[in-house]
Amino acid sequence: MEAYRDQYATVFNGGRDVVLIAISADPIDQLESWAREAQFPFLMASDSGAAVGRLYGALARRPGT
């Protein structure tokens, strides 16, 4: 996420005509604190139930799941 933050102006045209929404499986309170401290210039969404992550195959499978 820090790399996206650091390259945001270049890669995402400084946010002009671009909406970047980062999705994390972290609970909203942890995600909010991290996003504020790291000063991310984009939106963050919590997928605490991991439904979106599973839908897109973005989560590593754990043994037994």
Side-chain angles (χ1 to χ4, degrees):
M1 295 310 300
E2 286 80 5
Y4 286 119
R5 177 200 58 209
D6 296 345
Q7 296 297 317
Y8 185 78
T10 302
V11 174
F12 299 104
N13 197 26
R16 288 185 299 275
D17 300 321
V18 174
V19 176
L20 174 63
I21 303 172
I23 301 175
S24 171
D26 293 332
I28 190 71
D29 56 335
Q30 291 177 6
L31 183 59
E32 181 181 20
S33 176
W34 176 47
R36 189 180 314 109
E37 289 174 16
Q39 298 180 348
F40 295 131
F42 40 81
L43 300 172
M44 301 286 282
S46 177
D47 179 30
S48 61
V52 175
R54 280 193 299 279
L55 180 66
Y56 286 94
L59 299 175
R61 289 193 167 194
R62 295 181 184 158
T65 61

